[in-house]
Amino acid sequence: MRSSKTAQIGSPAVVLCAMATLIVSACGSDPESKNGSSAPKTYGLPSGVLKTLESVNTSLDKANIVAGGAVTVACVGDPGAVLIPAPEFDIEPAEGWVRDGAGVTFNRSGIFNIACTLHDGKVKDGTPAVLTVTHGKAVKVAATVEPTKIGAGAKATVRCSGEDALGNPIADSASGWSVTIEPADVGAITDKSIEGRTAGVGAVSCAMDGAVDAPSTPANLEVIPGSAAKTIATVTPDTIVAGDAGAAVSCAIEDAFGNAVAASAGLTIDVPAGLTLGGKTVTSKLKGKYDITCNVAGLSLDKVAAKLTVKPAGPVSWELVPKVVKNVWATGDTVVLVGLGKDEYDNEIINMTTAAPAKYNLAEWIKENQLDG
């Protein structure tokens, strides 16, 4: 026969079972929860009122703040426009802020969406409140330039960046940026564009409105001469005497901004009739004023001429002539005579100085200081 065991009331097995049941009951969850979860949130409202709310709306006391500032969130349930005393809400993005009750402090710049919730998140505002958090005052700034080397007349683009005291980046697109370059003649600035001007290296810096002693990290921009735009002739000396040794001519090439451009192999000197060019020296036997220019073969450039004056040599003959030439003279007129001479190259020498002013009085028919040339 098989033996059987039946537990009797009061036996050790029954007592242990009863104790286990009591322990489970004592360690159980909130009376309102049958699965061990916490009690539903009341949001500071009577349960009867809470149960009537079907939707919720979100509002903020400010729509725009500076990083480090705070906003207060208000949640209103409907129907009935019931202000919720202990609001709950979601914030996206989920970082860059610190919550204290209905107040939230934002340390990161950006756009945040804030939506109130009810009924343990089962009801949520479908049109969240939007908060714009802007960066604070710049505490450091930096500039970059692209490209870093340009020809005079070409342009480079400057990009500015910075950070506020909380480490928020300040983008190039932010308003309030200004750009400088030192030395100032290296480039001309328009907004964040620099046109190269004088050849050299300039330090490009950015500055932000309202920055507090913000250290700036500049970027270097190198400007080199641009394309040839003009030739410049120089003559030394600029005044010579007919038949003398002459004057030396030099040529320079510049871009549109006055930067020297390397000399071209096709550089020539152009002289007008009346001048003789030997190598880089001009001579003349004919008095006058002359323009000397430089030319680069194959290029159509502006030309800045050198001005040369050729004076007559010393006189080899001369005569007195009336200073004012008239076909008819009247009795009593005074004729002022001046010396008119010629050099060995037949250049006239006018208004030569005489020993004393020569006058010819027709009424008395007297000649003073008249000499035959």
Side-chain angles (χ1 to χ4, degrees):
M1 292 180 58
R2 294 186 310 172
S3 63
S4 64
K5 296 182 180 179
T6 304
Q8 302 293 323
I9 295 176
S11 67
V14 173
V15 172
L16 287 174
C17 181
M19 290 177 64
T21 302
L22 288 173
I23 291 172
V24 171
S25 297
C27 298
S29 63
D30 184 281
E32 298 184 37
S33 173
K34 296 181 180 180
N35 58 6
S37 63
S38 61
K41 294 184 178 70
T42 64
Y43 303 92
L45 294 172
S47 60
V49 175
L50 179 60
K51 291 178 181 179
T52 65
L53 302 181
E54 300 175 355
S55 62
V56 64
N57 296 306
T58 311
S59 63
L60 308 175
D61 63 337
K62 293 180 286 288
N64 298 276
I65 62 171
V66 174
V71 297
T72 299
V73 181
C75 298
V76 176
D78 284 316
V82 177
L83 179 63
I84 300 173
E88 291 294 335
F89 44 85
D90 293 339
I91 303 176
E92 292 293 337
E95 58 183 16
W97 47 269
V98 178
R99 179 179 172 181
D100 182 10
V104 187
T105 299
F106 290 84
N107 296 319
R108 290 289 176 263
S109 58
I111 304 297
F112 292 83
N113 294 312
I114 304 174
C116 290
T117 62
L118 279 177
H119 305 307
D120 294 321
K122 296 175 183 177
V123 174
K124 185 175 181 178
D125 189 352
T127 56
V130 178
L131 176 68
T132 300
V133 181
T134 56
H135 60 79
K137 293 182 179 181
V139 295
K140 62 180 178 179
V141 297
T144 58
V145 179
E146 180 62 35
T148 58
K149 183 177 182 179
I150 59 174
K155 294 182 179 181
T157 299
V158 182
R159 299 193 182 280
C160 299
S161 61
E163 284 187 6
D164 66 12
L166 295 171
N168 292 300
I170 304 175
D172 178 68
S173 58
S175 60
W177 286 116
S178 60
V179 175
T180 57
I181 186 169
E182 183 63 35
D185 61 353
V186 172
I189 299 172
T190 302
D191 295 328
K192 292 178 187 171
S193 176
I194 301 180
E195 182 183 45
R197 292 294 175 87
T198 302
V201 177
V204 180
S205 298
C206 292
M208 169 59 73
D209 291 347
V212 183
D213 298 326
S216 177
T217 302
N220 285 337
L221 174 65
E222 182 180 1
V223 177
I224 60 175
S227 301
K230 61 184 176 183
T231 60
I232 301 173
T234 304
V235 60
T236 305
D238 61 3
T239 301
I240 61 174
V241 175
D244 278 2
V249 179
S250 61
C251 294
I253 306 174
E254 293 183 353
D255 63 16
F257 303 97
N259 298 301
V261 177
S264 169
L267 187 62
T268 59
I269 299 172
D270 295 336
V271 297
L275 296 182
T276 300
L277 177 65
K280 295 182 179 181
T281 300
V282 289
T283 58
S284 179
K285 296 179 180 180
L286 183 62
K287 75 170 186 176
K289 294 181 181 296
Y290 300 92
D291 285 351
I292 303 171
T293 59
C294 299
N295 184 57
V296 178
L299 296 179
S300 179
L301 306 178
D302 293 336
K303 298 175 183 179
V304 179
K307 306 290 185 179
L308 176 67
T309 299
V310 179
K311 291 184 174 182
V316 294
S317 65
W318 68 283
E319 61 181 339
L320 289 176
V321 297
K323 185 173 183 178
V324 177
V325 178
K326 295 172 68 174
N327 292 328
V328 179
W329 296 88
T331 301
D333 285 351
T334 297
V335 181
V336 177
L337 301 177
V338 294
L340 174 64
K342 287 190 177 182
D343 66 10
E344 62 180 301
Y345 307 109
D346 207 31
N347 294 304
E348 285 189 341
I349 307 170
I350 63 174
N351 296 329
M352 293 179 61
T353 302
T354 59
K359 296 184 178 181
Y360 183 78
N361 189 294
L362 295 178
E364 299 178 2
W365 210 260
I366 296 175
K367 298 181 179 179
E368 298 180 359
N369 299 323
Q370 181 175 5
L371 299 173
D372 293 331

